Each structure stands twice: as structure tokens, then as C-alpha cells.
Amino acid sequence: MVKSLKHINIVKKRTKKFIRHQSDRYHKLKPNWRKPKGIDNRVRRRFKGTYLMPNIGYGSNKKTRHMLPNGFFKFTVSNVKELEVLLMSNRRYAAEIAHNVSSKKRKEIVERAQQLDIKVLNPGARLRSEENE
């Protein structure tokens, strides 16, 4: 089994989601973040005790951005040929089989990935349901 390269620890500056102002008050407002635009809005004016607004300071370290907890980065693969792109960087990137790939092609991709020693993040997808039938 291939292991990722040594990497620095992933540090998230904030793990809680930023929620939309007054989304707790009105059911019609979803909690997905929207920037407040009102002239008197207390969140936009950053009053004490109000919701925090997302800004550039909450960004992740460039080296660990999009990194999975196991140290790999995702690379979406749709066929066997795309898998061979990862041949030289199999300790940095892990293959993720695209959602629209058939179970027949998935088996081929997983077999080829084992030969090339490439980690596949979702090797069992669509194969389990076929075995039950």
C-alpha cells in the first residue's frame, strides 16, 4: 500500500461554518453565507457580539490547502489513461474515480492502479451493489 510523503500538519483557522445574518430568525433564509449589504447592518459594520464575516485571513496554508487528512491530494480519474498521469506522483496524489464511470470500467481502473501502486480513494464504489444481485 502506498503511503503519502511526509507533510506538515493541516491547521484549520476556523472549522465552524459562517452562517448568514438572521438565518436563525427566519426559516426562509438558509444558513448559507451571504454578505450583508444594508447601510445600517451590524454584521457588516462588525459590531461586537455579532456574527463573524469570512475574510482572507481565514485562508488555509498554501501547502496544505485541499489536502486530505491522509496527506494526499485528490485527482479525479475517468479512465485508465488518466490514471497513468499519476505514475510519477503517486505519493502526492490519490486517484478518485469519477461518479459517472461504469462498474466495468471501475474494475479496470482499480486493477491498473494496483499495478502502478496508486492509491484509489473510492475503490469499492458501485462494486458492492453488483455482488449482492
Side-chain angles (χ1 to χ4, degrees):
M1 195 68 217
V2 69
K3 289 186 81 167
S4 67
L5 292 169
K6 282 197 108 163
H7 62 89
I8 56 176
N9 288 345
I10 301 167
V11 177
K12 303 275 187 202
K13 292 180 188 167
R14 183 182 164 102
T15 52
K16 282 167 64 175
K17 290 249 185 198
F18 291 98
I19 66 165
R20 185 179 181 173
H21 180 51
Q22 291 192 332
S23 65
D24 55 338
R25 198 166 188 209
Y26 301 109
H27 187 68
K28 63 187 173 187
L29 294 181
K30 295 188 177 74
N32 304 344
W33 174 254
R34 294 289 181 274
K35 186 170 170 63
K37 303 281 197 327
I39 55 170
D40 293 329
N41 190 285
R42 50 209 277 212
V43 175
R44 183 189 60 78
R45 290 162 70 188
R46 299 202 176 113
F47 281 16
K48 208 189 304 183
T50 58
Y51 295 128
L52 294 170
M53 289 204 300
N55 54 44
I56 200 68
Y58 288 107
S60 299
N61 183 341
K62 215 175 212 179
K63 290 179 180 173
T64 61
R65 196 175 299 154
H66 306 300
M67 188 184 276
L68 300 170
N70 61 7
F72 286 103
F73 293 94
K74 277 185 188 177
F75 183 81
T76 309
V77 169
S78 299
N79 54 45
V80 178
K81 193 176 179 186
E82 288 177 5
L83 193 66
E84 289 167 12
V85 174
L86 300 179
L87 185 62
M88 296 301 289
S89 51
N90 64 342
R91 297 200 50 212
R92 172 74 64 203
Y93 292 93
E96 183 183 50
I97 304 171
H99 75 100
N100 55 351
V101 179
S102 68
S103 56
K104 183 176 129 185
K105 290 284 182 190
R106 275 172 195 270
K107 282 181 187 170
E108 292 173 19
I109 291 170
V110 171
E111 285 169 15
R112 185 68 178 138
Q114 284 178 336
Q115 293 168 4
L116 300 175
D117 200 28
I118 296 171
K119 183 174 178 69
V120 179
L121 297 172
N122 54 349
R126 285 218 193 158
L127 301 178
R128 281 170 267 148
S129 61
E130 200 173 80
E131 291 169 3
N132 295 341
E133 291 172 4

